[in-house]
Amino acid sequence: MNKTSIKTICCIGAGYVGGPTMAVIADRCPGIQVHVVDLDETRIQAWNDKDLRLLPIYEPGLDEVVERARGRNLHYSTEIESAIASADMVFISVNTPTKTKGIGAGKASDLRWVEACARQVSKFAQGHTIVVEKSTLPVRTAQAIKSILISAQKGSSNKERTKSFSVLSNPEFLAEGTAIRDLECPDRVLIGGEDEDAVEALAAIYGQWVAANKILRTNLWSSELSKLTANAFLAQRISSINSVAALCEVTGADVREVEKAIGSDSRIGTKFLQSGPGFGGSCFKKDILNLAYLCNHFGLPEVAEYWENVVSLNVWQQKRIANIVVQNLFGTVSGKRLAILGFAFKANTNDTRESPAICIAKSLLEEGAQLAIYDPKVEAKQISNDLNLQEKFTQGSDVQKSEPAFTSDGGWCKAKSIFDAVTGADAILIITEWDDFRHLNWHKIYSLMRKPAWVFDSRAVADPKEIKLAGLNLWRVGDGASYEEC
Ligand code: UDX
Ligand code: ADP
């Protein structure tokens, strides 16, 4: 085989990273057969569903890309062995959550799925295979993958000794909600590795649609560390602005004016400066904790502490918002109905991993609140998993109640619409910046709520004038004026 010419790709893991990334590669490279495999049969069935609205992940523009390539050169299946065997290049795109027990619990990544993949690849691969690490991983994972691939061959049969591997790191920088745009027009593509042929083979794939000067080549460690560092820097900006938002609230400043003023300094820039309920998503927290774990491991506890504070401030911001709600509702939310608008960790995704909504909702449930949760894309089953609590009442029964049920047990239900959610509620919490929440009929909403009625806008997306004109009390993140009025 000419090492620089890839004809068949296998991607292990059909999730938020593997799914969209492979769809775009297949779309842009019709000459390459792309097989996306996963252990999860239901997920694969959903990727193959004729009804493109039922794809397992919601991502704007994904349906069109899948429609163009699926069945032509994009295939989803659970046939992992044969997909690995026929591939010139295998992407590892499986989940790497933070360890929940053992050494590094709560900090290090759990690499059991990556390890399982490496073992599968070493077993089923044939000839020369380029293995690309795509999952977010701690630095030096590529070395671990290499060790598994090499050691699996030692002492193996003659047939197996004909196998060879090159390992590359190709971190994913797509952000959910804008994944297709990020994949089609990336700021950069990063390829780390020592085997030049393998690096060029992967660069040639991206070169089909990405400008040559945007394809960066580094050594393996730089590539892995760049991913963690990029996410740590982005998350740090959010914790920084959220800390300033709290200060704005007590001093009478408006964080949006501060954001504009500091963002117009070209050294700071305007992006990633929006204060809110804190960052969520599968990467930021995990990557920072990984970074901190590495720092501690290499004898840099001060550096570890520096980054850990970015995460601590994020948790503090979420708890602070829940406390503000309780304080303003006369110090108790027990039995009160609260409408939660948005459960996804950001707009335009159905992903709820590390969503600020989870921490805020759990804090309010502990206080005995009755939550009516509305999100245009998140399923009730997902909310129930995240809150570790079954849905308490079904739509239509308790929904119209206007008096609180005096119970100290918190509960939640999924509301079918925004109006269902707010009916009988004492307060509305806007947690995700879905477009639907930007232009609401506040007069109608006010008429459906129990008085005094409150809006807590943690994303500052709704129009403050309209809200106040309609008669509602308003708290907005980082808004000194609304804080003084409270
Ligand atoms: C992030 C990185 O952006 C991406 O490059 C990496 O590959 C994966 O992690 P993602 O988590 O999907 O992507 O979304 P992102 O847009 O980065 O948002 C992360 C969190 O920060 C969200 O909860 C979002 O609401 C929050 N955020 C973002 C803010 O609170 N304010 C901002 O100004 C920007
Ligand atoms: P990410 O956001 O990193 O894409 P997801 O959890 O959305 O993470 O997707 C990871 C996918 O990887 C899941 O669908 C999971 O079933 C799949 N997976 C994990 N381990 C394996 C494995 N050994 N073989 C095949 N698929 C796997």
Side-chain angles (χ1 to χ4, degrees):
M1 183 193 86
N2 172 1
K3 280 187 183 175
T4 55
S5 154
I6 301 299
K7 296 272 174 280
T8 308
I9 287 176
C10 162
C11 172
I12 311 179
Y16 284 90
V17 171
T21 309
M22 291 305 126
V24 170
I25 289 182
D27 192 31
R28 297 298 177 131
C29 308
I32 300 179
Q33 289 297 317
V34 180
H35 297 270
V36 187
V37 292
D38 202 294
L39 293 168
D40 184 339
E41 272 182 38
T42 324
R43 209 166 207 183
I44 289 297
Q45 268 168 17
W47 278 111
N48 283 324
D49 206 298
K50 274 200 187 114
D51 185 347
L52 290 160
R53 287 168 304 179
L54 300 179
L55 292 182
I57 66 176
Y58 173 69
E59 196 54 66
L62 175 63
D63 48 355
E64 289 162 34
V65 179
V66 170
E67 190 173 30
R68 280 197 294 272
R70 198 173 58 184
R72 178 189 72 188
N73 64 328
L74 175 63
H75 316 277
Y76 296 95
S77 84
T78 50
E79 286 168 24
I80 301 174
E81 298 181 16
S82 59
I84 293 174
S86 64
D88 310 315
M89 183 176 270
V90 177
F91 285 79
I92 298 184
S93 224
V94 298
N95 35 330
T96 50
T98 304
K99 279 181 88 171
T100 52
K101 47 187 176 183
I103 300 165
K107 292 187 176 164
S109 275
D110 192 336
L111 294 182
R112 78 179 97 158
W113 293 274
V114 172
E115 186 181 332
C117 279
R119 290 188 190 280
Q120 280 170 310
V121 174
S122 78
K123 194 165 171 196
F124 301 116
Q126 290 179 6
H128 185 73
T129 309
I130 300 171
V131 179
V132 184
E133 153 198 299
K134 194 84 193 158
S135 316
T136 299
L137 294 164
V139 177
R140 308 215 158 184
T141 307
Q143 189 58 48
I145 295 175
K146 263 187 190 171
S147 307
I148 293 169
L149 296 174
I150 293 164
S151 61
Q153 289 173 106
K154 285 192 188 141
S156 56
S157 64
N158 281 343
K159 188 180 158 212
E160 289 198 311
R161 270 186 231 120
T162 61
K163 296 177 187 183
S164 59
F165 300 98
S166 301
V167 180
L168 301 177
S169 159
N170 173 219
E172 190 47 73
F173 293 107
L174 67 82
E176 287 173 32
T178 54
I180 300 302
R181 194 182 69 205
D182 296 345
L183 285 161
E184 289 181 340
C185 309
D187 286 345
R188 79 312 207 177
V189 168
L190 195 51
I191 303 175
E194 273 76 52
D195 175 346
E196 250 179 61
D197 274 346
V199 170
E200 292 317 313
L202 184 55
I205 293 175
Y206 286 109
Q208 299 284 318
W209 76 95
V210 179
N213 63 353
K214 289 192 172 175
I215 304 176
L216 312 181
R217 293 146 174 94
T218 66
N219 73 32
L220 268 180
W221 320 132
S222 302
S223 168
E224 292 179 319
L225 192 56
S226 299
K227 166 77 179 191
L228 296 191
T229 312
N231 280 343
F233 268 59
L234 290 169
Q236 182 199 46
R237 277 173 77 95
I238 300 168
S239 280
S240 298
I241 201 67
N242 283 342
S243 74
V244 173
L247 194 58
C248 289
E249 288 165 23
V250 289
T251 53
D254 185 337
V255 76
R256 279 146 295 279
E257 290 177 356
V258 177
E259 281 164 21
K260 198 168 173 200
I262 64 169
S264 44
D265 182 329
S266 59
R267 291 168 303 174
I268 297 174
T270 51
K271 291 182 183 163
F272 253 77
L273 264 191
Q274 271 170 4
S275 59
F279 56 78
S282 69
C283 286
F284 283 1
K285 183 174 156 200
K286 187 179 75 179
D287 286 357
I288 292 176
L289 295 179
N290 251 320
L291 198 59
Y293 184 73
L294 267 176
C295 294
N296 275 323
H297 178 78
F298 289 106
L300 300 167
E302 290 81 2
V303 184
E305 199 185 342
Y306 173 78
W307 287 110
E308 273 164 1
N309 279 330
V310 172
V311 176
S312 306
L313 198 118
N314 197 51
V315 176
W316 173 79
Q317 173 76 341
Q318 295 169 11
K319 297 211 160 137
R320 187 174 83 84
I321 290 173
N323 284 340
I324 286 172
V325 174
V326 176
Q327 276 164 22
N328 281 298
L329 298 184
F330 310 112
T332 177
V333 291
S334 185
K336 289 180 183 167
R337 183 181 172 90
L338 308 179
I340 304 283
L341 299 191
F343 204 81
F345 81 94
K346 63 185 282 198
N348 297 319
T349 178
N350 58 346
D351 194 353
T352 61
R353 286 177 290 181
E354 301 294 339
S355 175
I358 301 172
C359 171
I360 295 173
K362 279 187 172 170
S363 302
L364 296 169
L365 287 169
E366 261 175 42
E367 296 284 330
Q370 305 302 310
L371 307 179
I373 302 174
Y374 171 76
D375 188 290
K377 293 289 173 196
V378 179
E379 310 268 349
K381 199 170 128 215
Q382 186 59 47
I383 300 175
S384 161
N385 283 345
D386 291 335
L387 297 179
N388 204 8
L389 189 67
Q390 289 300 311
E391 192 171 9
K392 191 172 169 192
F393 38 85
T394 49
Q395 196 60 38
S397 54
D398 287 32
V399 165
Q400 299 301 328
K401 79 178 162 50
S402 53
E403 288 305 315
F406 291 102
T407 161
S408 54
D409 289 337
W412 71 275
C413 70
K414 174 125 195 321
K416 284 204 185 96
S417 69
I418 296 170
F419 292 127
D420 279 339
V422 304
T423 302
D426 286 39
I428 297 170
L429 279 75
I430 302 178
I431 314 259
T432 313
E433 75 283 23
W434 284 104
D435 267 348
D436 304 10
F437 307 152
R438 290 180 194 272
H439 306 286
L440 294 171
N441 181 344
W442 289 107
H443 283 280
K444 181 168 178 196
I445 287 175
Y446 181 66
S447 72
L448 296 170
M449 294 176 72
R450 201 166 81 116
K451 317 298 180 302
W454 274 91
V455 175
F456 297 91
D457 187 356
S458 77
R459 295 277 187 176
V461 287
D463 184 338
K465 279 198 204 116
E466 293 280 319
I467 293 175
K468 286 182 194 163
L469 257 178
L472 290 115
N473 296 310
L474 171 67
W475 173 89
R476 287 202 310 159
V477 68
D479 185 346
S482 77
Y483 193 84
E484 275 167 17
E485 285 162 22
C486 296

